[in-house]
């Protein structure tokens, strides 16, 4: 298995290109299921999760074609065609590797009248149930059956009627599934307490480009009028606000200065405000609050700040798996329940470390950039799920970082 070696101490300076957003890509790709016409996504990041989603779509009968992918390019263009679906099932071996597979549920039931998806189970950042996805589809008229680790959603008569979905808590994925199901329903749907993440806006914009009728885009109340059919579209994936935020933390911890080329500051206000204010008290919250996907990277940065900071993780119950690893590098962090108190230390020390999820792995990279000596991050496959060519981007701005294979 590959590892990443970092020798800390270099200041990062220069230009760093920001890729297309992973979490946007993973909700734009299933939109291809909603039409027999081609859907083309530009600026699609080259990530393991995007490849896995492509394979899942292939299994359902969607063809995927990649253009203009020179090894030196960032991003790709992918055209997906779902002329005729050959399956409506997302099997366990794919879903267990990539939770975002659940996002085929809504579009499949909308297009084919039924969908079967393996239950994803827990993951390293928490339980992550899918009850809200199922309740939303039920509220729109789907019949839900659970059997042998799979969930089946059926639209009686082949098409969902639509309905009123009121989420008790904000869920990005459940909002996405509800939206993709609603656009082809017979009638109208209202989604209340919808997530407002920029990735949801990106999804709405693609659906609008495909001929959907949606109002309230970017607000907590979305109104969708179902249409008979949707057509193809070409759409550019938004820049990755979490990748950009991660590299901002990396630059800050090294005392450097990087230009995040292509980043969209409007989508990153809470992160930017927190960066300006560092040495802070912060709680993660749904957008426009501070993103849970930035918590680990921010914590790593605060390990070297002057004074103490207090972080509270309100979205996922188990998202502090990076803390013991950062502590092995000399960080002073105390966790009580959902709150972590980080006291800045003079120096961090390189060590062999590993993390159990994507953002936690990135926090170890950030700490490694400033640690004395060498840090060796294993389980690099987590990083490959969400950071396009990380070591190449960081070495181009001056980091001493390389990927090595076993042997
Ligand atoms: N929740 C439920 N029931 C549900 C769905 C969610 O209780 O049916 C709970 C979750 O357990 C969690 C909270 O609601 O406590 C919010 O979860 P949400 O559904 O918003 O998360 P998600 O859609 O599963 C996406 C991102 C995550 C990101 C979260 C929160 C994708 C593919 N994933 O997950 O990204 O942390 O929103 O912003 O879009 C990452 O990129 O590293 C990552 C984990």
């Amino acid at each position: 298995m590959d590892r990443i070696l970092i020798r800390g101490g270099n200041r990062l300076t220069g230009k760093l290109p920001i890729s297309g957003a992973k979490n946007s890509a993973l909700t734009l790709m299933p939109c291809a299921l909603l039409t027999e016409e081609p859907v083309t996504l530009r600026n699609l990041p080259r990530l393991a999760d995007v490849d896995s989603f492509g394979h899942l779509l292939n299994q359902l009968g969607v063809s995927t074609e990649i253009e203009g992918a020179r090894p030196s390019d960032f991003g790709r263009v992918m055209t997906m065609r779902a002329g005729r679906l050959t399956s409506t099932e997302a099997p366990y071996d794919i879903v267990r590797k990539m939770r975002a597979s659940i996002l085929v549920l809504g579009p499949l039931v909308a297009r084919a009248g039924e969908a079967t998806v393996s239950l994803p189970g827990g993951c390293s950042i928490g339980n992550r149930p899918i009850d809200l996805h199922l309740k939303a589809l039920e509220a729109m008229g789907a019949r839900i059956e659970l059997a042998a680790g799979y969930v089946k959603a059926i639209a009686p008569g082949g098409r969902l009627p639509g309905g009123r979905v009121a989420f008790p808590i904000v869920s990005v994925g459940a909002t996405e599934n509800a939206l993709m199901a609603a656009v082809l329903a017979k009638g109208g749907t209202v989604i209340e307490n919808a997530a407002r993440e920029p990735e949801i806006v990106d999804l709405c914009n693609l659906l609008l480009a495909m001929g959907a009728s949606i109002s309230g885009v970017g607000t907590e109340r979305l109104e969708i009028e179902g249409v008979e059919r949707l057509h193809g579209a070409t759409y550019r994936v938004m820049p990755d606000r979490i990748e950009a935020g991660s590299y901002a933390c990396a630059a800050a911890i090294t005392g450097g200065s990087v230009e995040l080329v292509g980043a969209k500051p409007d989508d990153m206000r809470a992160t930017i405000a927190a960066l300006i204010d560092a040495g802070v008290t912060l709680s993660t919250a749904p957008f426009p609050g501070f993103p849970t996907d930035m918590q680990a990277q921010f914590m790593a940065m605060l390990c070297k700040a002057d004074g103490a900071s207090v972080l509270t993780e309100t979205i996922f119950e188990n998202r502090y798996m990076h803390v013991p690893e950062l502590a092995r590098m000399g960080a002073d962090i105390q966790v009580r329940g959902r709150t972590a108190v980080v006291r800045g230390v003079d120096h961090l020390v390189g060590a062999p470390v590993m993390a159990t999820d994507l953002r936690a792995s990135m926090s170890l990279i950030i700490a490694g950039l400033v640690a004395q000596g060498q840090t060796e991050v294993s389980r690099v496959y987590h990083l490959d799920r969400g950071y396009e060519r990380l070591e190449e981007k960081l070495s181009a701005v001056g980091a001493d970082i390389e990927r090595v294979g076993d042997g």
Side-chain angles (χ1 to χ4, degrees), residues 206-229:
L206 170 60
L207 292 170
L208 289 168
M210 292 169 70
S213 162
I214 307 170
S215 57
V217 175
T219 74
E220 59 204 285
R221 183 186 158 91
L222 296 165
E223 287 186 40
I224 303 105
E225 208 40 61
V227 295
E228 283 295 321
R229 55 183 299 280

Side-chain angles (χ1 to χ4, degrees), residues 22-23 26 99-100 103 125 127-133 169-174 176 197 241 292-293 314-317 319 357-359:
K22 168 184 80 92
N23 289 347
L26 297 178
R99 293 186 55 88
L103 295 175
I125 62 174
N127 266 333
R128 302 183 79 184
I130 58 158
D131 56 318
L132 300 174
H133 299 241
I169 60 167
V170 176
S171 162
V172 175
E176 291 167 345
E197 267 64 7
R241 64 195 171 102
T292 171
D293 288 349
T314 73
I315 308 290
F316 293 109
E317 67 274 17
R319 213 172 189 180
D357 81 87
L358 168 61
R359 309 304 171 187

Side-chain angles (χ1 to χ4, degrees), residues 201-263:
V201 175
D202 221 27
L203 168 62
C204 289
N205 286 337
L206 170 60
L207 292 170
L208 289 168
M210 292 169 70
S213 162
I214 307 170
S215 57
V217 175
T219 74
E220 59 204 285
R221 183 186 158 91
L222 296 165
E223 287 186 40
I224 303 105
E225 208 40 61
V227 295
E228 283 295 321
R229 55 183 299 280
L230 292 171
H231 50 76
T234 296
Y235 190 80
R236 187 179 167 83
V237 181
M238 64 174 254
D240 196 314
R241 64 195 171 102
I242 305 299
E243 187 199 27
S246 302
Y247 290 133
C249 289
I253 201 171
T254 69
S257 152
V258 295
E259 183 181 334
L260 303 168
V261 180

Side-chain angles (χ1 to χ4, degrees), residues 41-86:
L41 295 178
R42 303 189 164 278
N43 199 33
L44 199 62
R46 293 184 184 207
L47 298 172
D49 272 11
V50 167
D51 292 341
S52 305
F53 214 106
H55 294 143
L56 171 58
L57 291 176
N58 293 151
Q59 291 210 2
L60 303 173
V62 183
S63 71
T64 50
E65 219 176 278
I66 292 168
E67 282 167 49
R70 284 176 307 176
S72 56
D73 289 342
F74 287 105
R76 287 179 299 193
V77 178
M78 185 190 275
T79 297
M80 297 162 286
R81 276 189 194 82
R84 196 178 64 85
L85 298 180
T86 53

